[in-house]
């Protein structure tokens, strides 16, 4: 049965409560560790690692650690659109990505923080968070804006390691070809603001990573004014029956670290966005024309995700599935409450339907990577104004990794068949890009 939660108003008091709680917890940890830190012998090191940036270590082995990395990606794109309105060609040169990331940890890794500045996006701060380690460093409580745990696997990956290089603005999946059709239709913003809890443990020979979150439900708007009530509640669990991947390899499409033994990760995630006021529940506003009791309202937006990744000796295979639906009770399309909101009408307000993504790649020891990707999107209901259409996405690409992933040169070709009954579009997109990380 569909459940409607009472409309709430998000205001400064809620955000202040979150901040105060986090600061109190941090201050308790700092107080307990301050005396021990003063007694530790001092030494330091400064190291540059290709593809990962500069690392600064201060103090003894358990002292403070800092990492600074800059990413610049430039590209050339060719676009050919063939539709019922005719054929058009366009070219462009662009800075696909200009970012500076800074992470730090201290007090025996009890406290950590991260900031990612995006100079090609619509907001200067793409990520900003502070984390506190708990459960003997087997868990972490995080406050701020970061990549959320409720999306598909590759939406949790750092864009620097994407197998497809192309323009992407402010970390949103619907502004370029980088992410593919599944994410463009059902993810939107890959970052969200709120409270996240992550933990990990072993069960027999399996490595298990559960996580839960409560976010604003407005995507990458944690540091700006937000409208609308409700929060987004979600969780995810990843099971790795063959043990941990190297570094962040479970969330990177290519096997850039070349796993010497077979590794498998299987994940399931879900989220429930109360009164989502944007079509994918990842932005601030955009949905109008829904009423409850004669007052403007919104539907609840639900997402279910299942995915898996397998890697071994340079080979990698990824499969992802996502389903988006709405929920709500006594919702109407007029203030007089005479016309009930149907799923057909709602399909022109929310991205409803399902999609799957399958991709495979191989990277040889000299750094040449070859990849293929296919995604198909199916609407739950389709009318002329539906936001989701029947689509098929095909991608083929080749990348060359140099100097330990510090430099990447890539070429990819993408074909999108958008079977919209109003305007049937076929798009051919080619990208040539160069990326530097230092």
């Amino acid at each position: 049965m569909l459940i409607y939660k009472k409309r709430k108003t998000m205001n400064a008091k809620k955000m202040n409560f979150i901040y105060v709680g986090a600061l109190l917890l941090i201050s308790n940890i700092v107080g307990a560790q301050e005396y021990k830190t003063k007694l530790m012998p001092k030494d330091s090191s400064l190291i540059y690692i290709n593809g990962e940036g500069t690392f600064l270590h201060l103090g003894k082995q358990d002292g403070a650690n800092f990492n600074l990395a800059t990413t610049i990606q430039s590209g050339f794109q060719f676009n050919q659109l063939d539709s019922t309105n005719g054929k058009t060609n366009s070219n462009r040169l662009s800075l696909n990505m200009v970012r500076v990331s800074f992470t730090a940890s201290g007090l025996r890794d009890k406290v950590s923080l991260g900031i990612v500045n995006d100079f090609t996006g619509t907001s200067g701060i793409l990520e900003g968070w502070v984390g506190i380690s708990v459960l003997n460093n087997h868990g972490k409580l995080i406050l701020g804006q970061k990549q959320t745990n409720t999306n598909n696997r590759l939406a949790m990956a750092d864009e620097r390691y994407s197998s497809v290089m192309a323009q992407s603005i402010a970390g949103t999946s619907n502004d370029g070809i980088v992410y593919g059709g599944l994410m463009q239709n059902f993810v939107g913003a890959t970052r969200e603001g709120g409270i996240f809890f992550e933990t990990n443990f072993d069960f027999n020979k399996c490595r298990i990573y559960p996580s839960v979150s409560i976010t604003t439900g407005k995507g990458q708007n944690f540091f700006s004014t937000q409208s609308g009530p409700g929060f987004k509640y979600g969780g995810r669990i990843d099971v790795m029956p063959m043990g941990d991947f190297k570094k962040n390899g479970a969330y990177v499409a290519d096997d850039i670290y070349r796993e010497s033994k077979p590794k498998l990760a299987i994940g399931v995630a879900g989220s429930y966005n109360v009164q989502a006021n944007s079509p994918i529940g990842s932005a601030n506003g955009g949905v109008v024309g829904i009423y409850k009791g004669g007052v403007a309202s919104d539907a609840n937006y639900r997402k279910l995700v299942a995915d898996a990744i397998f890697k071994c000796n340079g080979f990698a295979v990824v499969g992802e599935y996502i389903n988006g639906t709405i929920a709500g009770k006594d919702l109407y399309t007029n203030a007089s409450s005479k016309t009930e909101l149907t799923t057909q009408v709602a399909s022109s307000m929310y991205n409803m339907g399902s999609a799957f993504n399958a991709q495979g790649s191989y990277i040889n020891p000299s750094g040449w990577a070859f990849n293929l990707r296919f995604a198909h999107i199916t609407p739950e209901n389709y009318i002329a104004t539906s936001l989701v259409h029947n689509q098929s996405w095909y991608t083929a690409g080749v990348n060359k990794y140099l100097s330990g992933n510090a430099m990447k040169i890539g070429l990819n070709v993408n074909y999108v068949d958008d079977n919209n009954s109003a305007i049937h579009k076929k798009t051919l997109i080619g990208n040539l890009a160069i990326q530097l990380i230092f």
Side-chain angles (χ1 to χ4, degrees), residues 9-222:
T9 301
M10 180 176 293
N11 51 42
K13 290 184 179 179
K14 288 184 178 180
M15 302 309 297
N16 288 339
F17 176 78
I18 293 173
Y19 278 118
V20 169
L23 290 173
L24 286 174
L25 187 54
I26 292 174
S27 64
N28 287 335
I29 295 174
V30 171
Q33 298 292 330
E34 184 177 10
Y35 180 72
K36 293 181 179 180
T37 302
K38 289 180 179 179
L39 296 179
M40 288 182 180
K42 305 295 181 183
D43 61 7
S44 62
S45 61
L46 182 65
I47 303 173
Y48 171 76
I49 300 178
N50 285 343
E52 298 183 24
T54 301
F55 291 82
L56 173 63
H57 174 76
L58 299 176
K60 205 178 176 182
Q61 183 178 356
D62 296 319
N65 295 282
F66 306 90
N67 173 225
L68 179 66
T70 301
T71 304
I72 298 177
Q73 184 186 120
S74 62
F76 168 78
Q77 183 178 98
F78 166 78
N79 188 304
Q80 182 183 86
L81 173 63
D82 186 3
S83 71
T84 52
N85 293 332
K87 183 181 293 186
T88 58
N89 296 326
S90 62
N91 302 318
R92 72 179 180 188
L93 289 169
S94 62
L95 283 173
N96 298 340
M97 190 187 310
V98 180
R99 293 183 185 171
V100 176
S101 63
F102 174 78
T103 57
S105 64
L107 302 178
R108 299 180 183 271
D109 291 328
K110 292 292 185 181
V111 179
S112 58
L113 63 89
I115 299 173
V116 178
N117 290 312
D118 188 343
F119 296 97
T120 59
T122 56
S123 175
I125 300 179
L126 183 61
E127 293 187 20
W129 52 267
V130 59
I132 305 165
S133 294
V134 295
L135 304 178
N136 293 323
N137 286 339
H138 286 288
K140 180 176 286 189
L141 184 66
I142 302 171
L143 170 70
Q145 180 168 291
K146 63 183 289 292
Q147 286 176 307
T148 183
N149 59 330
T150 56
N151 286 328
N152 57 299
R153 179 171 303 278
L154 296 185
M156 301 170 65
D158 191 322
E159 289 91 341
R160 297 179 299 173
Y161 307 119
S162 174
S163 59
V164 177
M165 291 196 292
Q167 190 171 45
S168 178
I169 302 173
T172 61
S173 63
N174 48 8
D175 59 21
I177 204 74
V178 173
Y179 301 90
L182 179 147
M183 291 175 62
Q184 284 203 16
N185 281 274
F186 294 105
V187 174
T190 57
R191 274 79 172 174
E192 294 182 6
I195 298 178
F196 305 83
F197 176 72
E198 306 168 351
T199 186
N200 60 86
F201 59 88
D202 294 317
F203 181 75
N204 292 331
K205 295 183 179 181
C206 294
R207 190 71 171 162
I208 301 177
Y209 287 85
S211 59
V212 294
S213 62
I214 302 176
T215 65
T216 63
K218 306 297 183 296
Q220 296 167 183
N221 294 286
F222 193 65

Side-chain angles (χ1 to χ4, degrees), residues 174-384:
N174 48 8
D175 59 21
I177 204 74
V178 173
Y179 301 90
L182 179 147
M183 291 175 62
Q184 284 203 16
N185 281 274
F186 294 105
V187 174
T190 57
R191 274 79 172 174
E192 294 182 6
I195 298 178
F196 305 83
F197 176 72
E198 306 168 351
T199 186
N200 60 86
F201 59 88
D202 294 317
F203 181 75
N204 292 331
K205 295 183 179 181
C206 294
R207 190 71 171 162
I208 301 177
Y209 287 85
S211 59
V212 294
S213 62
I214 302 176
T215 65
T216 63
K218 306 297 183 296
Q220 296 167 183
N221 294 286
F222 193 65
F223 301 105
S224 61
T225 303
Q226 300 182 13
S227 63
F231 290 106
K232 178 180 176 181
Y233 306 89
R236 180 182 178 91
I237 184 168
D238 276 299
V239 179
M240 302 179 187
M242 301 175 183
D244 264 326
F245 288 65
K246 293 179 182 178
K247 299 184 179 180
N248 58 337
Y251 306 98
V252 176
D254 293 339
D255 187 12
I256 59 176
Y257 306 120
R258 294 189 59 83
E259 297 285 351
S260 58
K261 296 181 180 180
K263 292 297 174 67
L264 173 68
I266 301 171
V268 178
S271 61
Y272 194 89
N273 195 336
V274 178
Q275 294 195 45
N277 63 1
S278 68
I280 320 180
S282 61
N284 195 21
V287 175
V288 294
I290 300 178
Y291 299 87
K292 180 181 176 65
V295 179
S297 185
D298 296 298
N300 305 326
Y301 191 71
R302 305 174 295 193
K303 282 200 292 190
L304 177 65
V305 175
D307 53 52
I309 186 169
F310 173 83
K311 290 185 175 184
C312 185
N313 290 324
F315 288 95
V317 179
V318 182
E320 300 175 308
Y321 171 83
I322 194 166
N323 179 263
T325 58
I326 65 162
K329 187 177 180 181
D330 299 327
L331 298 177
Y332 297 88
T333 58
N334 46 37
S336 60
S337 301
K338 292 183 178 180
T339 306
E340 189 173 358
L341 177 68
T342 63
T343 55
Q344 287 80 10
V345 173
S347 70
S348 64
M349 303 175 181
Y350 293 94
N351 287 41
M352 300 164 55
S354 61
F356 72 86
N357 176 65
Q359 59 190 80
S361 64
Y362 173 71
I363 179 170
N364 67 20
S366 62
W368 283 100
F370 307 89
N371 57 78
L372 295 171
R373 181 174 72 188
F374 172 73
H376 185 74
I377 293 86
T378 305
E380 179 179 340
N381 294 282
Y382 183 77
I383 58 176

